[in-house]
Amino acid sequence: MNQNENQRDDEIQEVQEEEVQQLIQCLEKANFMNSKLQLVKYQGFWTSRGGLKNILHYQRHFQAHDSDLIVASLPKTGTTWLISLLFSIVNRVKLEHQPLNKKSPLLHHNPHELVYHLEHGVYGKNPILPNPNQLDELSSPRLFYTHIPYGSLPKSIKASSCKMLYIARNPLDTIVSSYHFYIDFIKKATEDQDFKPPSIEDFFDDFCEGRSMTGPYFEHVVGFWKESLEQPSKVLFLKYEDLKEDPTFYSKKVAEFVGFPFSPREESEGVIDNVSELCSIKKLKELEVNKNGAMNKYVDKKTYFRKGEVGDWTNYFKPLMVDKIHKLMEEKFEGTDLSFKLLPNPQ
Ligand code: A3P
Protein backbone atom coordinates (compact mmCIF):
# COMPACT_ATOMS: atom_id res chain seq x y z
CA MET A 1 0.00 0.00 0.00
CA ASN A 2 1.44 3.45 -0.88
CA GLN A 3 1.41 6.45 1.43
CA ASN A 4 -1.74 7.99 -0.09
CA GLU A 5 -3.65 4.79 0.26
CA ASN A 6 -2.49 4.50 3.86
CA GLN A 7 -3.66 8.04 4.57
CA ARG A 8 -7.02 7.41 2.95
CA ASP A 9 -7.43 4.24 4.97
CA ASP A 10 -6.67 6.20 8.18
CA GLU A 11 -9.21 8.88 7.25
CA ILE A 12 -11.92 6.30 6.62
CA GLN A 13 -11.10 4.72 9.96
CA GLU A 14 -11.26 8.06 11.77
CA VAL A 15 -14.61 9.09 10.34
CA GLN A 16 -16.00 5.71 11.22
CA GLU A 17 -14.69 5.83 14.79
CA GLU A 18 -16.62 9.07 15.36
CA GLU A 19 -19.67 7.61 13.73
CA VAL A 20 -19.42 4.42 15.76
CA GLN A 21 -19.19 6.38 19.01
CA GLN A 22 -22.27 8.41 18.06
CA LEU A 23 -24.14 5.29 17.13
CA ILE A 24 -23.20 3.57 20.40
CA GLN A 25 -24.66 6.45 22.39
CA CYS A 26 -28.10 5.64 20.96
CA LEU A 27 -27.96 1.87 21.50
CA GLU A 28 -29.28 -0.22 24.37
CA LYS A 29 -26.38 -1.57 26.46
CA ALA A 30 -25.79 -4.43 28.89
CA ASN A 31 -22.82 -5.78 30.79
CA PHE A 32 -22.10 -9.27 29.49
CA MET A 33 -22.07 -11.83 32.31
CA ASN A 34 -21.74 -8.98 34.86
CA SER A 35 -18.31 -8.23 33.46
CA LYS A 36 -16.67 -5.08 32.18
CA LEU A 37 -17.36 -6.30 28.63
CA GLN A 38 -20.20 -4.24 27.33
CA LEU A 39 -22.75 -5.45 24.81
CA VAL A 40 -24.75 -3.16 22.56
CA LYS A 41 -27.99 -4.00 20.78
CA TYR A 42 -27.54 -3.09 17.14
CA GLN A 43 -30.22 -3.80 14.50
CA GLY A 44 -31.96 -6.02 17.04
CA PHE A 45 -29.00 -8.25 17.94
CA TRP A 46 -26.43 -8.10 20.74
CA THR A 47 -22.76 -7.68 19.98
CA SER A 48 -19.72 -6.50 21.87
CA ARG A 49 -19.34 -2.75 21.97
CA GLY A 50 -15.73 -3.08 20.85
CA GLY A 51 -16.67 -5.25 17.87
CA LEU A 52 -19.35 -2.97 16.45
CA LYS A 53 -16.92 -1.14 14.19
CA ASN A 54 -15.88 -4.43 12.56
CA ILE A 55 -19.51 -5.22 11.87
CA LEU A 56 -20.12 -1.86 10.22
CA HIS A 57 -17.07 -2.37 7.99
CA TYR A 58 -18.24 -5.84 7.09
CA GLN A 59 -21.79 -4.74 6.33
CA ARG A 60 -20.66 -1.87 4.14
CA HIS A 61 -17.66 -3.28 2.33
CA PHE A 62 -17.89 -7.05 1.95
CA GLN A 63 -18.49 -8.02 -1.66
CA ALA A 64 -19.75 -11.57 -1.91
CA HIS A 65 -18.89 -13.64 -4.96
CA ASP A 66 -21.48 -16.00 -6.44
CA SER A 67 -19.13 -18.88 -5.71
CA ASP A 68 -18.63 -18.05 -1.99
CA LEU A 69 -19.64 -20.64 0.58
CA ILE A 70 -20.56 -19.13 3.93
CA VAL A 71 -21.29 -20.96 7.16
CA ALA A 72 -23.69 -19.06 9.40
CA SER A 73 -24.44 -19.83 13.01
CA LEU A 74 -24.84 -18.56 16.51
CA PRO A 75 -21.64 -18.97 18.51
CA LYS A 76 -21.25 -22.38 20.20
CA THR A 77 -23.68 -24.24 17.97
CA GLY A 78 -21.18 -26.28 15.94
CA THR A 79 -19.48 -23.69 13.73
CA THR A 80 -16.02 -25.23 14.15
CA TRP A 81 -17.36 -28.64 13.17
CA LEU A 82 -19.21 -27.41 10.09
CA ILE A 83 -16.32 -25.28 8.82
CA SER A 84 -14.01 -28.30 9.21
CA LEU A 85 -16.39 -30.46 7.21
CA LEU A 86 -16.87 -27.80 4.56
CA PHE A 87 -13.13 -27.23 4.21
CA SER A 88 -12.45 -30.97 3.92
CA ILE A 89 -15.21 -31.53 1.39
CA VAL A 90 -14.22 -28.65 -0.87
CA ASN A 91 -10.48 -29.32 -0.70
CA ARG A 92 -10.50 -33.12 -0.93
CA VAL A 93 -10.01 -32.95 -4.70
CA LYS A 94 -6.63 -31.27 -4.18
CA LEU A 95 -5.60 -34.23 -2.02
CA GLU A 96 -7.00 -36.87 -4.32
CA HIS A 97 -3.95 -39.07 -4.34
CA GLN A 98 -3.14 -38.67 -0.68
CA PRO A 99 -5.26 -39.99 2.17
CA LEU A 100 -7.19 -37.05 3.62
CA ASN A 101 -6.34 -37.79 7.22
CA LYS A 102 -2.61 -37.94 6.50
CA LYS A 103 -2.23 -34.72 4.49
CA SER A 104 -5.12 -32.42 5.30
CA PRO A 105 -4.20 -28.84 6.29
CA LEU A 106 -6.57 -29.43 9.23
CA LEU A 107 -3.80 -31.49 10.80
CA HIS A 108 -1.61 -28.39 11.09
CA HIS A 109 -4.07 -25.52 11.30
CA ASN A 110 -6.95 -24.70 13.56
CA PRO A 111 -10.17 -24.78 11.46
CA HIS A 112 -10.64 -21.04 12.11
CA GLU A 113 -7.37 -20.38 10.27
CA LEU A 114 -8.69 -22.12 7.16
CA VAL A 115 -12.25 -20.82 7.00
CA TYR A 116 -12.30 -17.16 7.91
CA HIS A 117 -14.57 -15.37 10.35
CA LEU A 118 -15.87 -12.43 8.38
CA GLU A 119 -16.89 -9.79 10.90
CA HIS A 120 -14.26 -10.31 13.59
CA GLY A 121 -11.52 -12.13 11.65
CA VAL A 122 -11.25 -10.49 8.25
CA TYR A 123 -12.83 -7.16 9.27
CA GLY A 124 -11.32 -7.41 12.74
CA LYS A 125 -7.97 -7.27 10.96
CA ASN A 126 -6.64 -10.42 12.57
CA PRO A 127 -2.99 -10.48 11.43
CA ILE A 128 -3.00 -14.22 10.72
CA LEU A 129 -6.00 -14.03 8.39
CA PRO A 130 -6.37 -12.32 5.02
CA ASN A 131 -7.39 -8.69 5.44
CA PRO A 132 -10.26 -7.08 3.47
CA ASN A 133 -7.87 -5.93 0.71
CA GLN A 134 -6.76 -9.50 0.08
CA LEU A 135 -10.19 -11.05 -0.27
CA ASP A 136 -10.26 -10.92 -4.06
CA GLU A 137 -6.99 -12.85 -4.22
CA LEU A 138 -8.41 -15.92 -2.45
CA SER A 139 -8.99 -18.95 -4.61
CA SER A 140 -12.53 -19.92 -5.46
CA PRO A 141 -14.68 -21.02 -3.75
CA ARG A 142 -13.86 -18.72 -0.86
CA LEU A 143 -14.91 -20.17 2.49
CA PHE A 144 -16.12 -17.95 5.32
CA TYR A 145 -18.26 -17.95 8.40
CA THR A 146 -20.41 -15.35 10.09
CA HIS A 147 -22.54 -15.05 13.22
CA ILE A 148 -24.63 -12.11 12.05
CA PRO A 149 -28.43 -12.68 11.82
CA TYR A 150 -29.79 -13.09 8.29
CA GLY A 151 -31.51 -9.70 8.23
CA SER A 152 -28.27 -7.84 9.05
CA LEU A 153 -25.95 -9.58 6.60
CA PRO A 154 -24.17 -7.43 4.02
CA LYS A 155 -26.44 -6.75 1.05
CA SER A 156 -24.13 -8.50 -1.37
CA ILE A 157 -24.45 -11.81 0.49
CA LYS A 158 -28.21 -11.67 0.10
CA ALA A 159 -28.15 -10.41 -3.48
CA SER A 160 -25.48 -12.76 -4.86
CA SER A 161 -25.89 -16.47 -5.56
CA CYS A 162 -23.42 -17.43 -2.83
CA LYS A 163 -24.53 -20.36 -0.71
CA MET A 164 -25.00 -20.38 3.05
CA LEU A 165 -24.93 -23.33 5.42
CA TYR A 166 -26.59 -22.63 8.74
CA ILE A 167 -25.97 -24.79 11.78
CA ALA A 168 -28.37 -24.66 14.72
CA ARG A 169 -28.13 -26.40 18.08
CA ASN A 170 -30.71 -26.98 20.79
CA PRO A 171 -30.90 -24.00 23.16
CA LEU A 172 -30.01 -25.93 26.33
CA ASP A 173 -26.67 -27.25 25.07
CA THR A 174 -25.99 -23.89 23.42
CA ILE A 175 -26.37 -22.19 26.82
CA VAL A 176 -24.01 -24.62 28.58
CA SER A 177 -21.40 -24.37 25.84
CA SER A 178 -21.63 -20.55 25.76
CA TYR A 179 -21.34 -20.31 29.53
CA HIS A 180 -18.00 -22.13 29.58
CA PHE A 181 -16.61 -20.41 26.51
CA TYR A 182 -17.50 -16.86 27.47
CA ILE A 183 -16.09 -17.12 30.99
CA ASP A 184 -12.69 -17.73 29.38
CA PHE A 185 -13.32 -15.13 26.70
CA ILE A 186 -14.20 -12.41 29.20
CA LYS A 187 -11.19 -13.17 31.40
CA LYS A 188 -8.92 -12.67 28.41
CA ALA A 189 -10.80 -9.74 26.89
CA THR A 190 -11.10 -7.67 30.05
CA GLU A 191 -7.97 -8.82 31.91
CA ASP A 192 -10.07 -8.15 34.99
CA GLN A 193 -8.65 -10.09 37.91
CA ASP A 194 -11.82 -9.38 39.91
CA PHE A 195 -14.21 -10.84 37.33
CA LYS A 196 -16.67 -13.16 39.07
CA PRO A 197 -18.69 -15.19 36.57
CA PRO A 198 -22.44 -15.22 37.18
CA SER A 199 -24.13 -18.47 38.13
CA ILE A 200 -25.25 -20.58 35.18
CA GLU A 201 -28.83 -19.90 36.35
CA ASP A 202 -28.34 -16.15 35.86
CA PHE A 203 -26.68 -16.75 32.51
CA PHE A 204 -29.66 -18.93 31.56
CA ASP A 205 -32.11 -16.14 32.47
CA ASP A 206 -30.20 -13.62 30.34
CA PHE A 207 -30.22 -16.06 27.42
CA CYS A 208 -33.97 -16.62 27.75
CA GLU A 209 -34.51 -12.87 27.78
CA GLY A 210 -32.59 -12.60 24.50
CA ARG A 211 -29.29 -11.27 25.87
CA SER A 212 -26.75 -13.60 24.29
CA MET A 213 -23.91 -12.98 21.83
CA THR A 214 -25.43 -12.18 18.39
CA GLY A 215 -28.77 -13.25 19.89
CA PRO A 216 -31.61 -13.26 20.65
CA TYR A 217 -31.12 -16.98 19.99
CA PHE A 218 -34.65 -17.79 18.83
CA GLU A 219 -34.93 -14.94 16.33
CA HIS A 220 -31.54 -15.85 14.83
CA VAL A 221 -32.51 -19.49 14.33
CA VAL A 222 -35.99 -18.72 12.99
CA GLY A 223 -34.59 -16.10 10.61
CA PHE A 224 -32.31 -18.60 8.88
CA TRP A 225 -34.93 -21.37 9.06
CA LYS A 226 -37.38 -19.22 7.12
CA GLU A 227 -34.76 -18.33 4.52
CA SER A 228 -33.88 -22.01 4.10
CA LEU A 229 -37.53 -22.72 3.28
CA GLU A 230 -37.92 -19.74 0.97
CA GLN A 231 -34.55 -20.13 -0.76
CA PRO A 232 -33.59 -23.81 -0.48
CA SER A 233 -30.83 -23.53 -3.05
CA LYS A 234 -29.25 -20.64 -1.13
CA VAL A 235 -29.56 -21.66 2.53
CA LEU A 236 -29.10 -25.19 3.88
CA PHE A 237 -30.32 -25.52 7.47
CA LEU A 238 -28.52 -28.16 9.54
CA LYS A 239 -28.88 -29.22 13.15
CA TYR A 240 -25.97 -30.17 15.42
CA GLU A 241 -27.95 -33.08 16.86
CA ASP A 242 -28.61 -34.53 13.37
CA LEU A 243 -24.94 -34.27 12.41
CA LYS A 244 -24.02 -36.01 15.61
CA GLU A 245 -26.41 -38.85 14.85
CA ASP A 246 -25.33 -39.38 11.25
CA PRO A 247 -22.21 -37.43 10.22
CA THR A 248 -21.80 -39.44 7.02
CA PHE A 249 -25.31 -38.71 5.76
CA TYR A 250 -24.96 -34.99 6.50
CA SER A 251 -21.46 -34.77 5.02
CA LYS A 252 -22.99 -36.09 1.79
CA LYS A 253 -25.79 -33.56 2.03
CA VAL A 254 -23.33 -30.69 2.54
CA ALA A 255 -21.18 -31.92 -0.37
CA GLU A 256 -24.16 -32.04 -2.72
CA PHE A 257 -25.45 -28.64 -1.60
CA VAL A 258 -22.14 -26.89 -2.25
CA GLY A 259 -21.65 -28.59 -5.62
CA PHE A 260 -18.86 -31.01 -4.61
CA PRO A 261 -20.82 -34.29 -4.43
CA PHE A 262 -19.03 -37.51 -3.53
CA SER A 263 -18.78 -39.91 -6.46
CA PRO A 264 -19.90 -43.55 -6.09
CA ARG A 265 -16.19 -44.47 -6.25
CA GLU A 266 -15.35 -42.11 -3.38
CA GLU A 267 -18.27 -43.47 -1.43
CA SER A 268 -17.15 -47.08 -1.89
CA GLU A 269 -13.56 -46.15 -1.04
CA GLY A 270 -14.66 -44.70 2.29
CA VAL A 271 -13.78 -41.06 1.52
CA ILE A 272 -16.94 -39.78 3.25
CA ASP A 273 -16.14 -41.74 6.39
CA ASN A 274 -12.59 -40.36 6.29
CA VAL A 275 -13.95 -36.82 6.13
CA SER A 276 -16.30 -37.32 9.08
CA GLU A 277 -13.60 -39.05 11.09
CA LEU A 278 -11.06 -36.31 10.41
CA CYS A 279 -13.58 -33.66 11.47
CA SER A 280 -14.76 -35.48 14.58
CA ILE A 281 -14.17 -33.69 17.86
CA LYS A 282 -12.16 -36.68 19.09
CA LYS A 283 -9.68 -36.30 16.24
CA LEU A 284 -9.50 -32.48 16.13
CA LYS A 285 -9.21 -32.11 19.89
CA GLU A 286 -6.15 -34.34 20.12
CA LEU A 287 -4.16 -32.48 17.44
CA GLU A 288 -1.24 -30.46 18.83
CA VAL A 289 -2.30 -27.46 16.76
CA ASN A 290 -5.62 -27.32 18.59
CA LYS A 291 -4.20 -27.91 22.06
CA ASN A 292 -1.89 -24.92 22.21
CA GLY A 293 -1.78 -21.30 21.25
CA ALA A 294 -4.29 -18.55 20.78
CA MET A 295 -6.48 -17.67 17.82
CA ASN A 296 -6.45 -14.02 18.87
CA LYS A 297 -6.18 -12.07 22.08
CA TYR A 298 -9.56 -13.32 23.30
CA VAL A 299 -9.65 -16.99 22.32
CA ASP A 300 -7.31 -19.90 23.01
CA LYS A 301 -7.52 -22.53 20.28
CA LYS A 302 -8.40 -25.28 22.72
CA THR A 303 -11.57 -23.51 23.82
CA TYR A 304 -13.24 -24.39 20.50
CA PHE A 305 -13.25 -28.04 21.58
CA ARG A 306 -14.86 -29.01 24.87
CA LYS A 307 -17.18 -32.04 25.10
CA GLY A 308 -19.10 -31.96 21.83
CA GLU A 309 -22.08 -33.90 23.18
CA VAL A 310 -25.82 -33.73 22.89
CA GLY A 311 -27.50 -33.50 26.30
CA ASP A 312 -24.65 -32.13 28.44
CA TRP A 313 -27.31 -29.70 29.76
CA THR A 314 -28.72 -32.54 31.91
CA ASN A 315 -25.70 -31.97 34.18
CA TYR A 316 -26.69 -28.34 34.79
CA PHE A 317 -30.39 -27.51 34.57
CA LYS A 318 -33.27 -28.13 36.95
CA PRO A 319 -36.67 -29.30 35.63
CA LEU A 320 -38.18 -25.81 36.00
CA MET A 321 -35.50 -24.35 33.74
CA VAL A 322 -36.04 -27.06 31.16
CA ASP A 323 -39.80 -26.32 31.26
CA LYS A 324 -39.05 -22.69 30.62
CA ILE A 325 -37.07 -23.56 27.47
CA HIS A 326 -39.83 -25.91 26.30
CA LYS A 327 -42.36 -23.08 26.65
CA LEU A 328 -40.07 -20.66 24.82
CA MET A 329 -39.57 -23.15 22.00
CA GLU A 330 -43.34 -23.61 21.70
CA GLU A 331 -43.88 -19.87 21.60
CA LYS A 332 -41.01 -18.85 19.32
CA PHE A 333 -41.21 -21.78 16.92
CA GLU A 334 -44.99 -21.72 16.65
CA GLY A 335 -46.08 -22.28 13.05
CA THR A 336 -42.54 -22.97 11.83
CA ASP A 337 -42.28 -26.78 12.08
CA LEU A 338 -38.94 -26.26 13.77
CA SER A 339 -37.92 -28.46 16.69
CA PHE A 340 -34.76 -29.80 18.36
CA LYS A 341 -33.76 -33.10 19.85
CA LEU A 342 -32.62 -32.40 23.39
CA LEU A 343 -31.10 -35.81 24.08
CA PRO A 344 -29.15 -38.33 22.02
CA ASN A 345 -31.01 -41.40 20.79
CA PRO A 346 -30.67 -44.30 23.22
CA GLN A 347 -27.92 -46.68 22.05
P1 A3P B 1 -19.46 -27.97 23.86
O1 A3P B 1 -19.03 -26.74 24.58
O2 A3P B 1 -20.85 -28.38 24.21
O3 A3P B 1 -18.52 -29.09 23.99
P2 A3P B 1 -18.65 -23.41 17.95
O4 A3P B 1 -17.72 -24.11 17.05
O5 A3P B 1 -19.87 -22.88 17.25
O6 A3P B 1 -17.97 -22.40 18.78
O7 A3P B 1 -19.26 -24.50 18.93
C1 A3P B 1 -18.44 -25.09 19.90
C2 A3P B 1 -19.16 -26.33 20.38
O8 A3P B 1 -19.03 -27.35 19.38
C3 A3P B 1 -18.49 -26.89 21.63
O9 A3P B 1 -19.52 -27.61 22.30
C4 A3P B 1 -17.43 -27.81 21.03
O10 A3P B 1 -16.95 -28.77 21.92
C5 A3P B 1 -18.24 -28.44 19.90
N1 A3P B 1 -17.39 -28.95 18.81
C6 A3P B 1 -16.25 -28.43 18.32
N2 A3P B 1 -15.76 -29.20 17.35
C7 A3P B 1 -16.61 -30.22 17.21
C8 A3P B 1 -16.65 -31.37 16.35
N3 A3P B 1 -15.69 -31.59 15.49
N4 A3P B 1 -17.67 -32.23 16.49
C9 A3P B 1 -18.65 -32.02 17.38
N5 A3P B 1 -18.69 -30.95 18.22
C10 A3P B 1 -17.68 -30.06 18.14
Side-chain angles (χ1 to χ4, degrees), residues 26-37:
C26 316
L27 300 178
E28 191 182 338
K29 299 174 191 70
N31 282 72
F32 191 39
M33 298 180 92
N34 302 334
S35 73
K36 288 184 179 161
L37 190 98

Side-chain angles (χ1 to χ4, degrees), residues 34-37 183 185-197:
N34 302 334
S35 73
K36 288 184 179 161
L37 190 98
I183 287 177
F185 181 95
I186 287 171
K187 281 184 185 158
K188 292 195 82 180
T190 62
E191 293 175 2
D192 178 5
Q193 307 302 325
D194 299 326
F195 168 59
K196 297 221 170 19

Side-chain angles (χ1 to χ4, degrees), residues 76-78 81 166-175 177 217 221 237-250 308-313 329 333 338-345 347:
K76 314 327 292 171
T77 58
W81 192 8
Y166 186 76
I167 183 150
R169 188 180 194 185
N170 79 67
L172 292 165
D173 283 326
T174 304
I175 299 173
S177 185
Y217 167 95
V221 175
F237 191 98
L238 298 158
K239 294 180 192 166
Y240 184 94
E241 298 74 20
D242 292 343
L243 249 83
K244 206 65 202 170
E245 208 170 286
D246 197 344
T248 301
F249 176 83
Y250 286 98
E309 287 172 3
V310 176
D312 188 31
W313 59 268
M329 285 202 283
F333 295 159
L338 189 52
S339 64
F340 283 103
K341 282 194 190 120
L342 297 177
L343 291 169
N345 282 345
Q347 294 298 320

Side-chain angles (χ1 to χ4, degrees), residues 73-81 84 112 147 169 173 176-178 180-181 240 244 279-282 284 303-309 312:
S73 62
L74 278 159
K76 314 327 292 171
T77 58
T79 323
T80 310
W81 192 8
S84 306
H112 296 261
H147 290 314
R169 188 180 194 185
D173 283 326
V176 172
S177 185
S178 303
H180 291 288
F181 179 83
Y240 184 94
K244 206 65 202 170
C279 299
S280 67
I281 187 162
K282 187 168 175 291
L284 294 178
T303 57
Y304 289 118
F305 310 93
R306 197 180 63 93
K307 283 191 172 177
E309 287 172 3
D312 188 31

